[in-house]
Amino acid sequence: FVRLAIPVQEIQRVTGGYSETLALMSFLILIAVSAAGYAAARRFSRPVEEMSRTADAIAAGRRDLEVVYSSGDEIGRLGAALNRMTRALSEQIEALSSEKALRDTILGGMKEGLLVVDLGGRVLLCNEALRAILGLRGLDPSGRPLIEIARDHAVIDRFDAALLRGEESTGI
């Protein structure tokens, strides 16, 4: 049986340098991987953040904005979808605005008073002729209870009869 021995100081001197080198290399690799991960995350998050800011601006009424995208990946497809949605939304808003303008023109030209209320008795729509009849010229009674705008009980009774019993009322 043969036994070989090396002094402990000699082993520590030789391996001590390796430990320090290994720790330094591990630290440098950790920093490099962290930097690469940060760069990759920013590469994907920056376009999403920009799309989010643009979407917020569009939601606030800036329908002239478009999302800028240059890639064909998921983020690029998301940008294209947001742009399509913005164009469709603009077209819908434009169509509704045109319909509202037409309705307002028709109702404004009527000589008869027109009042639309819901089943709870709240005013949904009131044309200018009825506002003049009720002394509400320049006020918008939408959303208010009928009893607040028409303080005459005969008027309220006629509306109640029309709402509850389905009776037609052509004059007040």
Side-chain angles (χ1 to χ4, degrees), residues 3 10 18 35 45-46 58 82 108 112 146 164:
R3 178 174 173 213
E10 183 65 23
Y18 293 135
S45 67
R46 186 172 291 131
I58 291 168
L82 280 171
E112 300 83 12
L146 178 61
L164 297 176

Side-chain angles (χ1 to χ4, degrees), residues 49-61:
E49 288 172 3
E50 187 174 321
M51 284 181 200
S52 177
R53 282 191 298 274
T54 303
D56 287 341
I58 291 168

Side-chain angles (χ1 to χ4, degrees), residues 1-13:
F1 163 26
V2 177
R3 178 174 173 213
L4 298 173
I6 300 175
V8 173
Q9 288 94 5
E10 183 65 23
I11 294 173
Q12 287 177 345
R13 183 184 63 77

Side-chain angles (χ1 to χ4, degrees), residues 53-65 86 89-90 93:
R53 282 191 298 274
T54 303
D56 287 341
I58 291 168
R62 298 272 324 269
R63 290 180 281 138
D64 59 321
L65 296 178
T86 302
L89 183 63
S90 293
I93 289 172

Side-chain angles (χ1 to χ4, degrees), residues 1-131:
F1 163 26
V2 177
R3 178 174 173 213
L4 298 173
I6 300 175
V8 173
Q9 288 94 5
E10 183 65 23
I11 294 173
Q12 287 177 345
R13 183 184 63 77
V14 171
T15 59
Y18 293 135
S19 296
E20 291 172 3
T21 303
L22 183 62
L24 180 62
M25 291 300 286
S26 297
F27 180 71
L28 291 175
I29 289 171
L30 177 66
I31 289 177
V33 167
S34 296
Y38 177 77
R42 289 301 297 163
R43 179 178 177 267
F44 291 108
S45 67
R46 186 172 291 131
V48 172
E49 288 172 3
E50 187 174 321
M51 284 181 200
S52 177
R53 282 191 298 274
T54 303
D56 287 341
I58 291 168
R62 298 272 324 269
R63 290 180 281 138
D64 59 321
L65 296 178
E66 283 203 358
V67 174
V68 178
Y69 61 93
S70 58
S71 63
D73 60 1
E74 293 85 4
I75 294 174
R77 288 194 299 275
L78 176 62
L82 280 171
N83 288 339
R84 284 191 307 274
M85 181 188 67
T86 302
R87 284 190 294 276
L89 183 63
S90 293
E91 291 169 4
Q92 292 276 334
I93 289 172
E94 198 61 40
L96 288 172
S97 295
S98 295
E99 287 180 22
K100 182 184 181 308
L102 177 62
R103 183 200 68 201
D104 290 347
T105 300
I106 292 169
L107 293 179
M110 291 176 64
K111 300 290 184 215
E112 300 83 12
L114 176 72
L115 179 66
V116 179
V117 294
D118 64 10
L119 292 176
R122 293 201 172 273
V123 175
L124 298 175
L125 180 70
C126 178
N127 72 346
E128 193 58 42
L130 187 65
R131 287 183 197 156

